[in-house]
Amino acid sequence: MSEYQKLIDEAQSAAESSQNAEELGSARSKFLGKKSQLSEAKKELGKLEERDRAAAGKELNEVRKLIEKAFEQREVHLQEEAWNLQFESERIDLSERLESLRRGHLHLITQARDHLEDVFVGMGFTVAEGPEVETAWYNFEALNIPDWHPARGNFDTIFVNLGSPEEVMLRSHTSPVQVRTMENHQPPIYIVAPGRTFRTDNADATHLPAFNQIEGLVIDKGITMGDLAGTIDSFVQAFFGTEVKSRLRPSYFPFTEPSAEFDISRPDGSWLELGGCGMVHPNVLSNCGIDSEEWQGFAFGFGIDRLVAMRYQLDDIRELVVNDARFLRQF
Ligand code: DAH
């Protein structure tokens, strides 16, 4: 074996120092190829005496195996190196993507709307919806606002020009859902109707031309102003916390009689106006085919965006619609 040790050492260091598959290939054929010292030695075997031949052959095989092993090991090593290089060059930096995959959440308005629905559902109401495009009947007339009525001008309505016979508009409040519900359901009725509403207002710190309201309607027997006040109070406490109080102030709406505005208390003792309410006007009940001698009810409505702006003390209500993720992410 010692005769070949030098060859083995040389082959091993040739394999070790090969830097790529090509170098390794040529080193390999130098030590294992047809013209290699090993192959020549093999040819020489025939010249040996019969009794020496087997031992010499066996020795040659062992030497060959050792050399082959050195080349195989180097080959595996070079292959791994090449793969690593390739992986490195093909690696994609995913950190940017991970950033944008950060989990999102519902918009602040949607959260508030869901929360409002939950509170009212907890008080026994169901949720009703109506179309965002309405006719004059639903948006005004059935609500006791005929076209000569001065209050009609207060709504700054966005009209949809569809021509005659009907006047069509983007609903300027959620109150038309009251009418649709009473038309389609027999009392008793306990509903809230959240949804989008529209007016010709220009967007500024306190106004949005497309905003959200929630409407409440209760029709039952023997309903009084006390039920209205109690309902508003329970809602305010459930939504804002038990320390917050509510109060009603006399006001005017064509669809309620008497009418009121309702306020909530602030920690400093001052009051904030939240929305309007009142006892459903007998004309509204009869417009919807409900006998006002038999049934009474109350209604209320307020802006969801304004409520959110109040609750989170937003300086500018437009924050809710510009969709700056840095703002939205905070809630
Ligand atoms: N619809 C009124 C508005 O948009 C709000 C309102 C006031 C709704 C009194 C009501 C109500 O149901 O009873 O200004």
Side-chain angles (χ1 to χ4, degrees):
M1 191 72 146
S2 57
E3 192 186 338
Y4 293 108
Q5 193 56 53
K6 193 165 159 256
L7 182 68
I8 295 168
D9 291 345
E10 276 174 16
Q12 280 172 342
S13 74
E16 251 355 87
S17 60
S18 298
Q19 291 310 311
N20 51 49
E22 212 180 345
E23 282 178 31
L24 189 69
S26 59
R28 188 190 178 98
S29 66
K30 180 176 165 209
F31 287 95
L32 295 168
K34 277 186 189 133
K35 289 181 181 146
S36 65
Q37 191 185 335
L38 264 185
S39 298
E40 293 302 328
K42 198 174 170 190
K43 286 178 205 156
E44 300 295 312
L45 284 178
K47 296 177 185 163
L48 291 179
E49 294 289 334
E50 182 94 39
R51 57 188 157 84
D52 294 333
R53 205 184 290 155
K58 196 173 164 227
E59 186 179 15
L60 274 186
N61 269 340
E62 272 157 22
V63 172
R64 173 173 282 273
K65 270 191 202 149
L66 281 172
I67 293 176
E68 276 173 349
K69 196 170 159 217
F71 280 98
E72 268 163 32
Q73 279 174 347
R74 185 64 183 166
E75 191 180 1
V76 169
H77 179 83
L78 286 176
Q79 183 61 260
E80 271 173 7
E81 249 180 22
W83 278 335
N84 285 342
L85 268 176
Q86 191 185 345
F87 292 155
E88 193 58 35
S89 73
E90 288 177 1
R91 195 174 73 177
I92 300 165
D93 182 359
L94 295 176
S95 49
E96 188 79 11
R97 232 176 107 64
L98 263 179
E99 173 81 8
S100 64
L101 278 176
R102 187 191 295 173
R103 200 133 181 242
H105 59 68
L106 294 175
H107 190 278
L108 192 47
I109 296 289
T110 312
Q111 291 179 38
R113 182 185 156 147
D114 287 351
H115 187 193
L116 287 167
E117 287 180 11
D118 289 348
V119 167
F120 282 110
V121 166
M123 291 166 67
F125 287 70
T126 56
V127 178
E129 280 188 323
E132 292 176 0
V133 181
E134 277 293 13
T135 59
W137 169 256
Y138 290 103
N139 199 64
F140 291 130
E141 261 125 66
L143 289 164
N144 202 32
I145 322 172
D147 62 1
W148 51 262
H149 200 292
R152 206 139 152 170
N154 296 343
F155 283 95
D156 300 321
T157 310
I158 299 173
F159 290 92
V160 181
N161 207 347
L162 291 182
S164 52
E166 272 185 312
E167 216 180 4
V168 178
M169 61 208 68
L170 300 185
R171 65 178 176 192
S172 49
H173 51 174
T174 43
S175 301
V177 187
Q178 287 186 32
V179 180
R180 291 183 174 275
T181 307
M182 285 189 275
E183 276 181 351
N184 293 315
H185 295 88
Q186 290 300 313
I189 291 169
Y190 290 79
I191 57 117
V192 285
R196 293 218 295 167
T197 46
F198 309 85
R199 291 188 198 178
T200 55
D201 292 323
N202 286 320
D204 64 24
T206 53
H207 295 86
L208 294 171
F211 54 107
N212 296 271
Q213 286 190 336
I214 184 164
E215 190 81 12
L217 176 71
V218 166
I219 306 288
D220 209 333
K221 286 182 176 161
I223 298 289
T224 69
M225 200 84 184
D227 297 307
L228 167 59
T231 302
I232 300 271
D233 215 42
S234 308
F235 153 69
V236 164
Q237 298 207 346
F239 191 81
F240 291 96
T242 46
E243 69 286 359
V244 180
K245 293 182 183 50
S246 71
R247 72 171 185 190
L248 302 187
R249 258 181 309 112
S251 185
Y252 173 77
F253 297 100
F255 27 91
T256 42
E257 182 58 38
S259 301
E261 258 152 333
F262 63 95
D263 301 339
I264 58 169
S265 66
R266 287 201 289 203
D268 67 1
S270 64
W271 295 91
L272 264 177
E273 182 191 323
L274 200 62
C277 60
M279 301 306 290
V280 180
H281 197 291
N283 289 353
V284 176
L285 292 173
S286 61
N287 284 339
C288 302
I290 291 177
D291 180 354
S292 62
E293 294 296 323
E294 192 181 354
W295 303 97
Q296 301 77 43
F298 62 79
F300 57 86
F302 54 90
I304 299 178
D305 317 69
R306 290 191 50 209
L307 180 98
V308 166
M310 265 185 233
R311 186 159 166 186
Y312 295 100
Q313 290 166 9
L314 308 183
D315 298 329
D316 193 325
I317 204 164
R318 286 171 294 189
E319 295 272 30
L320 294 172
V321 292
V322 294
N323 286 337
D324 182 336
R326 290 167 302 180
F327 168 77
L328 294 173
R329 221 176 260 144
Q330 301 173 73
F331 303 100

